[in-house]
Every structure is written in structure tokens, then in C-alpha cells.
Amino acid sequence: MQLGTRWTSGEKPPAAVPVALHAQIAAVERLLPADQLAHQPTPRWTLTWLEGRPVAELDTGVIVSLDADGQAVVRKDDEDEFA
């Protein structure tokens, strides 16, 4: 069993977050609008595991996960990942 975790965007991901996701997580965080964040709580990431693969979801709906080839993929939660 693999347990998930939560952390605040802008912080170093916890050790439970696979290194394969770190670059894409950082890329997503660089795109967060600073002026919007000043007026709202800082979004947090949630790491879960789906069929043995890590899935990191930001409160904004952005998801970073690994595809079948082990490559990090970024999508929004309203997009079909199989499209």
C-alpha cells in the first residue's frame, strides 16, 4: 500500500513524491499567477496513487501524473487523459 500526502505549492515536494514528477510540478507552479495568489490561499498539492502510479493534483485542478511509459504528463481534471 502506498500512502498519499499533501503539501503547499512553492514548497519542496515531500519525499513520497516521485522525482519523475518534480520538474512538471515546478513548471506548473511557475505558471501560477502571482497576483491571483496574493488574494487567495496558496493552492496545495495532493499526491494519490492510481493503479500503482503517482497522481499529484493541485487545488486548481491541474494534475501531474505518469503515463504508461513513465513520462510525466500535465492535464486539467476536466480533460480526458485518454483522448
Side-chain angles (χ1 to χ4, degrees):
M1 173 190 266
Q2 293 176 298
L3 298 176
T5 189
R6 285 186 52 83
W7 73 101
T8 302
S9 63
E11 294 179 355
K12 180 179 178 182
V17 179
V19 173
L21 297 181
H22 287 207
Q24 290 301 326
I25 288 171
V28 167
E29 290 178 351
R30 285 191 298 273
L31 295 175
L32 293 174
D35 60 336
Q36 180 184 11
L37 296 178
H39 303 291
Q40 297 181 16
T42 303
R44 293 179 49 88
W45 290 97
T46 301
L47 175 70
T48 57
W49 297 84
L50 180 62
E51 297 179 358
R53 288 190 263 179
V55 178
E57 182 170 0
L58 191 60
D59 291 340
T60 63
V62 174
I63 298 170
V64 180
S65 60
L66 294 182
D67 65 13
D69 297 323
Q71 299 297 311
V73 177
V74 178
R75 64 184 175 87
K76 287 284 286 178
D77 66 356
D78 59 350
E79 295 176 2
D80 182 358
E81 68 180 313
F82 302 106

